Amino acid sequence: MSGVSISGSVLVSRIIPLKRILCLCPFPVPGKDLTDPVEFKVGMAISDPYLSFASPVQMEMEPLYHLRDDKKLVTSLMRNNLPTSGEEFLRQLGFRDVGGVAIAFPMKQDLAASMVHDAQLQYAREALAEIIGKYDTDVNNSLGPFKLQCFIDDRLTITEVKTMANEEPEMWEEIIDVDGETLAPNEASMHAAVALNSFLWQHTGGWRN
């Protein structure tokens, strides 16, 4: 893997102050046969500069074909769909002040995700890390935003998300609505936002920091 995969706590300690964390999350999309999903999208979410909460990000991207358990094919097809440079990636993202990247799993209770082996999702995460780890956005900084990477391995259930939202509603207001329901639970970006919010809760204290 070309990126520097480190722990979440180390990423938070190394990130430049007032830089954001970008979260990427492979999210399975059922094919025609619901027992055999073969596609996934890359959900994205971004933190605020103070690392206190996460917001889902919509970025135009075609569905990416998973093709079973062949990581090389996954990486090749992802590379064809992702921007070719870090500068272009950040331009399309709409945020240039990214300081690090966290690569997550989707929530546990999603139907499509439950039909995909964890190993397949891990191949997708490793492929993402490899591709973006080769982006070079700052010639003066060998550990640029795409090279400062960690994995988020925790996978929350919707019930767990609602419990956390009850404790810190401000932190979850872009994910949980006033009735306590998830906003667009089938959107890949929402799964990235849930993972990143949970990460911030654990490593920075979230809204309370």
Side-chain angles (χ1 to χ4, degrees):
M1 190 185 305
S2 296
V4 180
S5 183
I6 55 180
S7 70
S9 58
V10 171
L11 184 146
V12 169
S13 70
R14 291 184 183 177
I15 197 167
I16 297 173
L18 299 181
K19 292 290 187 179
R20 302 173 188 264
I21 295 176
L22 170 67
C23 181
L24 305 178
C25 176
F27 177 75
V29 179
K32 294 180 180 179
D33 180 357
L34 291 179
T35 65
D36 187 24
V38 295
E39 297 176 319
F40 62 86
K41 295 180 178 180
V42 178
M44 301 188 187
I46 193 84
S47 76
D48 68 304
Y50 302 100
L51 308 183
S52 60
F53 68 94
S55 302
V57 176
Q58 297 296 336
M59 182 173 169
E60 298 246 344
M61 189 175 298
E62 294 295 321
L64 306 173
Y65 291 89
H66 195 286
L67 293 181
R68 301 292 191 272
D69 299 319
D70 192 323
K71 181 186 170 185
K72 289 184 178 179
L73 285 174
V74 174
T75 305
S76 176
L77 288 164
M78 277 187 134
R79 187 175 288 112
N80 291 336
N81 283 273
L82 289 168
T84 56
S85 70
E87 182 178 356
E88 177 61 18
F89 190 108
L90 294 178
R91 187 192 69 78
Q92 292 187 28
L93 183 69
F95 294 92
R96 295 186 177 275
D97 54 346
V98 173
V101 181
I103 304 176
F105 281 119
M107 287 188 290
K108 283 182 181 178
Q109 288 183 215
D110 180 71
L111 176 62
S114 68
M115 296 175 179
V116 178
H117 296 301
D118 285 350
Q120 293 175 311
L121 288 173
Q122 180 61 19
Y123 287 148
R125 296 203 308 163
E126 291 175 359
L128 277 168
E130 179 177 332
I131 294 167
I132 67 172
K134 293 180 179 177
Y135 285 163
D136 184 9
T137 58
D138 185 352
V139 295
N140 297 315
N141 183 1
S142 60
L143 289 180
F146 295 105
K147 291 180 171 61
L148 191 61
Q149 300 178 3
C150 74
F151 287 119
I152 300 176
D153 294 326
D154 292 339
R155 300 178 69 178
L156 298 181
T157 64
I158 291 178
T159 300
E160 289 170 331
V161 172
K162 290 180 179 180
T163 298
M164 296 174 79
N166 285 334
E167 294 182 28
E168 292 286 346
E170 296 89 351
M171 185 177 179
W172 293 86
E173 61 185 5
E174 294 196 42
I175 299 171
I176 300 291
D177 64 18
V178 293
D179 297 319
E181 298 299 323
T182 55
L183 297 177
N186 293 322
E187 289 289 337
S189 60
M190 196 57 60
H191 287 254
V194 165
L196 183 54
N197 238 15
S198 175
F199 175 89
L200 297 175
W201 179 295
Q202 177 181 354
H203 292 287
T204 72
W207 190 266
R208 292 164 292 181
N209 76 3

